[in-house]
């Protein structure tokens, strides 16, 4: 038996044109309209029944992202976290009403924009080749030289990373989120939909200035990190 829950995918400005609502996880989606903010929901989803079924949870996560991506190609949406639901339509409408200004401000901030993720992956330092037919003195000289090359390589790499992060944060300011991890740097960028070509040019320029890194730009996505 399906639960009465209203599983909620996203909030959006109440549209003045018909949306093409995709299929949800189990069935059709509905648009619940508040005064100015609306919600895209799927009634009858019970997360509790799927908690111990990893395959079902993965299916629901994929459906959640698919729906949000489909909607974002039609209209600016405020994507919600996986697992967001309300126990009734009245509860949902009351929530929208009490948070209307907050959601309106967030929608204004991301209006007409996509999120891009720029992965900045460090190139690896070449390993010292195994000694073959080299005497002790020559080997240790080669090892010392290789060590100095490693130091220079890593120093240049760190300098390039700092320059890249500074340039991105100065250019995009509040529209850039930096995740600096040991394995790679991830830069989440909020970019106007009409400025994709400019972003691609910027990435190519950054790649030329950062030869010790590999830059990989992802596809445009809903602004998950900016809500």
């Amino acid at each position: 038996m399906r639960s009465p829950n209203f599983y909620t995918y996203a909030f959006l400005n109440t549209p003045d044109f018909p949306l093409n609502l995709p299929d949800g996880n189990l069935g059709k989606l509905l648009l619940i309209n508040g005064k100015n903010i609306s919600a895209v929901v799927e009634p009858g989803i019970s997360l509790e029944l799927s908690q111990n079924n990893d395959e079902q949870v993965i299916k629901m996560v994929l459906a959640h992202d698919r729906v949000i991506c489909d909607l974002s190609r039609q209209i600016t949406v405020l994507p919600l976290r996986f697992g967001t639901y309300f126990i009734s339509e009245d509860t949902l409408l009351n929530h929208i009403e009490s948070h209307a200004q907050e959601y309106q401000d967030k929608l204004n901030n991301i209006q007409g924009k996509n999120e891009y993720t720029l992965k900045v992956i460090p190139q690896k330092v070449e390993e010292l080749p195994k000694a073959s037919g080299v005497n002790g003195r020559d080997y240790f000289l080669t090892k010392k030289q290789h060590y100095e090359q490693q130091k220079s390589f890593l120093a240049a790499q760190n300098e390039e990373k700092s320059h890249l992060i500074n340039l991105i944060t100065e250019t995009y300011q509040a529209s850039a989120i930096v995740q600096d991890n040991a394995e790679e740097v991830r830069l989440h960028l909020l970019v106007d939909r009409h400025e994709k070509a400019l972003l691609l040019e910027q990435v190519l320029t950054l790649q030329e200035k950062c030869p010790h890194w590999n830059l990989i730009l992802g596809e445009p996505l809903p602004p998950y990190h900016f809500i």
Side-chain angles (χ1 to χ4, degrees):
M1 179 177 179
R2 297 181 70 178
S3 73
N5 293 337
F6 283 78
Y7 185 91
T8 309
Y9 290 91
F11 295 136
L12 60 155
N13 287 314
T14 299
D16 55 6
F17 60 91
L19 290 178
N20 181 19
L21 296 178
D23 290 333
N25 183 59
L26 297 177
K28 299 295 183 181
L29 303 186
L30 299 176
L31 187 66
I32 304 295
N33 293 323
K35 289 182 179 179
N36 297 304
I37 304 294
S38 298
V40 176
V41 307
E42 182 176 357
I45 295 290
S46 176
L47 297 178
E48 290 79 6
L49 297 178
S50 304
Q51 285 181 347
N52 297 320
N53 187 332
D54 291 343
E55 183 177 348
Q56 182 63 26
V57 170
I58 292 173
K59 178 184 174 185
M60 294 176 71
V61 170
L62 293 175
H64 183 89
D65 286 342
R66 171 180 54 78
V67 167
I68 291 174
C69 288
D70 193 305
L71 291 170
S72 70
R73 286 189 283 268
Q74 304 177 59
I75 191 172
T76 298
V77 300
L78 192 64
L80 300 181
R81 294 182 182 276
F82 172 73
T84 301
Y85 71 92
F86 296 86
I87 61 174
S88 69
E89 183 174 343
D90 286 341
T91 303
L92 170 58
L93 288 172
N94 288 336
H95 175 85
I96 290 176
E97 182 64 25
S98 62
H99 293 80
Q101 189 59 55
E102 173 192 349
Y103 294 152
Q104 186 66 68
D105 291 343
K106 289 183 176 181
L107 283 164
N108 289 342
N109 183 53
I110 63 175
Q111 180 69 35
K113 297 178 181 180
N114 289 320
E115 177 182 321
Y116 290 85
T117 297
L118 178 62
K119 294 182 180 180
V120 186
I121 302 172
Q123 294 186 8
K124 295 185 181 298
V125 182
E126 291 185 6
E127 296 293 333
L128 179 66
K130 292 182 179 180
S132 177
V134 180
N135 63 36
R137 176 180 171 80
D138 289 341
Y139 173 73
F140 283 110
L141 287 174
T142 301
K143 189 174 181 179
K144 180 180 179 181
Q145 183 182 32
H146 179 71
Y147 174 71
E148 294 299 328
Q149 290 173 344
Q150 280 185 319
K151 283 177 60 179
S152 298
F153 184 97
L154 293 174
Q157 200 170 60
N158 287 330
E159 184 177 348
E160 289 172 6
K161 182 177 77 169
S162 297
H163 176 69
L164 184 148
I165 291 176
N166 290 337
L167 187 60
I168 287 289
T169 52
E170 288 175 3
T171 302
Y172 289 92
Q173 299 183 8
S175 296
I177 295 174
V178 180
Q179 295 178 331
D180 189 355
N181 302 313
E183 301 82 9
E184 65 181 28
V185 180
R186 289 196 177 197
L187 301 164
H188 304 288
L189 307 174
L190 190 61
V191 180
D192 189 281
R193 289 174 182 170
H194 303 296
E195 294 183 351
K196 181 178 180 179
L198 177 60
L199 175 62
L200 292 173
E201 289 180 10
Q202 291 173 334
V203 171
L204 288 174
T205 300
L206 288 172
Q207 181 64 84
E208 292 176 356
K209 293 180 178 180
C210 303
H212 294 83
W213 297 83
N214 294 320
L215 276 59
I216 302 174
L217 184 65
E219 294 297 317
L221 293 173
Y224 293 110
H225 289 85
F226 295 89
I227 57 174

